[in-house]
Amino acid sequence: MLLLHWFVFLLLLPLNSRTQKLPTRDEELFQMQIRDKAFFHDSSVIPDGAEISSFLFRDTPKRYFFVVEEDNTPLAVTVTPCDAPLEWKLSLQELPEEASGEGSGEPEPLEQQKQQIINEEGTELFSYKGNDVEYFVSPSSPSGLYQLELLSTEKDTHFKVYATTTPESDQPYPELPYDPRVDVTSLGRTTVTLAWKPSPTASLLKQPIQYCIVINKEHNFKSLCAVEAKLSSDDAFMMAPKPGLDFSLFDFAHFGFLSDNNSGKERSFLKSSSKLSRQMSSKPRVDLQKICIGNKNIFTLSDLKPDTQYYFDMFAVNVNTNMSTAYVGTFARTKEEAKQKTVELKDGKVTDVFIKRKGTKFLRFAPVSSHQKVTFFVHSCLDAVQIQIRRDGKLLLSQNVEEVRQFQLRGKPKAKYLIRLKGSKKGASMLKILATTRPNKQSFPSLPEDTRIKAFDKLRTCSSATVAWLGTQERNKFCIYKKEVGDNYSEEQKKREQNQCLGPDTRKKSEKVLCKYFHSQNLQKAVTTETIKGLQPGKSYLLDVYVIGHGGHSVKYQSKLVKTRKFC
């Protein structure tokens, strides 16, 4: 046994200048000083019963060694590729005999023993090539020095290795249930419900387990290590290990210079704290999300996009060891949005339209007779809406509409018009729309550019308020209404009452002040004033002016809040 440790010492001699313990179960068996850094720079030892994380440069193999001290010892080795496939093999190193060939009992010279260990490739026990989490398990292994060699031919990458001689008692990885599949139990347009069977590590062994769900649109992941590599910076600078720990100064000299094969790969930054990392160029984030949900075994994901394929992966994570095991992932496509019916517009008839927040509505206008022009009247009751009009598939206009707008377009024989209305981000939208090939017979009243009501502060009294508003060249009917409101009446309340599509017929008779007709061919003089009397001293009133068109359709001007004087 002492000779076995001596050969490990020969391999590890050049690794580091610090005092280091041999990572076996009995750490008192072996201690050494490491001095020579120029020899066997990329070798390392694997602690018994601990998972290590490391980094591989492309086409640069890395070797790890560990000791099995006694014959007939159980052995388990787990290799987890992160963001690239790996080639790895495990071999048992052939060691020199304890005595020389002459039977003198004297050990061979140190340099000769070193060379013999390096030259011997050993007996290959297992090999693998791919990106799966792969295992080597042996219930009975001979004592000796084991070598694990890893290689990445695709790109610089991370990986994890775990080796133990007590696999039955360790069990650092959560155990999967007899059915390790993730099931989709419910599927909607924007939601997916997942369910899975609990890990026996939690249900039987009572170890603390939490489950982490990963969702993305590209593919399933085979390890949580692969997910974290995708979420974090792909530019090895942020994730590569520090020099002197698990790669050499030779490797560090090449650090940061990625191969051409990597330059086109998608990269992303989840977090960046160093000044240098902020200077590095980054590409758009990967559409990938990781959610850890505790020990529940059913979960509903929401805010998904309709008619979109998603990939779902589930990982059981041992809270004590932070080591994880992947369930068998699944995928599903969310349901399509319900197809909207296209509303048919009739020539000269007003149609009411309701649109949900951020929603969309489609309308169609197909004039029966040939026409030279077509006119669209749009009355937005609340916030602005976006309107697009296409004629036979060709886009004619795209605008935001507030209050009342009129669009006159050139006609075309047998043309069909498709109107797309998109609602506001703030809330639901309501509007009235009219399409006609006979614009002279319109239901909507004409409006001035400015629909505000002006209040004259100097003419304000304890019982009256004087206001003015603009008209047009067209003779229209105007009706003014008043409503007493409290002193704490806010702009938010005023905004809620700004539905311009509600006409005078919705008001109380007691709120009506008067109605009158007026117009002026000279737009500079198309203004009218009115004094509202019979008000109470020191009270606030909300004033509304409605203009009513020939077809009976009304439009409300912007409301005006006035307050009478308290003392006169």
Side-chain angles (χ1 to χ4, degrees), residues 290-442:
K290 170 187 165 188
I291 309 169
C292 292
I293 59 170
N295 58 5
K296 295 184 289 186
N297 65 331
I298 185 170
F299 191 76
T300 298
L301 295 153
S302 57
D303 296 327
L304 306 179
K305 293 182 179 180
D307 194 25
T308 303
Q309 181 156 306
Y310 289 94
Y311 294 85
F312 306 99
D313 291 290
M314 176 60 57
F315 299 93
V317 182
N318 188 320
V319 177
N320 290 336
T321 64
N322 203 33
M323 295 165 76
S324 60
T325 305
Y327 279 66
V328 178
T330 187
F331 61 89
R333 178 175 289 275
T334 50
K335 293 183 178 180
E336 295 182 9
E337 283 278 17
K339 292 185 178 180
Q340 294 187 7
K341 294 181 179 180
T342 301
V343 179
E344 294 287 343
L345 298 178
K346 294 184 178 180
D347 198 333
K349 185 177 179 181
V350 177
T351 301
D352 295 309
V353 181
F354 175 81
I355 309 173
K356 295 188 296 184
R357 176 178 174 267
K358 294 184 180 181
T360 304
K361 281 286 178 71
F362 291 93
L363 300 92
R364 182 174 174 270
F365 180 53
V368 176
S369 58
S370 60
H371 56 284
Q372 293 183 343
K373 293 181 180 179
V374 61
T375 305
F376 292 90
F377 295 91
V378 182
H379 185 186
S380 178
C381 306
L382 299 171
D383 294 314
V385 295
Q386 184 189 63
I387 181 172
Q388 287 184 349
I389 300 179
R390 295 177 184 271
R391 184 186 63 206
D392 297 332
K394 181 181 179 181
L395 182 65
L396 300 181
L397 71 86
S398 178
Q399 290 187 22
N400 286 334
V401 174
E402 290 184 290
E403 300 179 352
V404 174
R405 290 291 302 276
Q406 173 181 321
F407 304 102
Q408 194 168 72
L409 306 174
R410 183 174 305 217
K412 194 175 180 181
K414 299 182 180 180
K416 293 180 177 59
Y417 300 85
L418 182 67
I419 302 97
R420 178 182 183 267
L421 301 169
K422 186 172 178 60
S424 168
K425 295 180 180 179
K426 300 177 182 178
S429 301
M430 291 187 293
L431 57 100
K432 294 178 180 289
I433 186 169
L434 177 145
T436 181
T437 56
R438 298 165 291 176
N440 293 333
K441 294 184 179 181
Q442 57 170 304

Side-chain angles (χ1 to χ4, degrees), residues 269-285:
F269 285 90
L270 185 60
K271 292 184 179 179
S272 177
S273 57
S274 71
K275 184 181 294 185
L276 183 56
S277 69
R278 287 194 295 269
Q279 296 172 355
M280 296 170 65
S281 62
S282 65
K283 296 193 176 179
R285 277 189 173 185

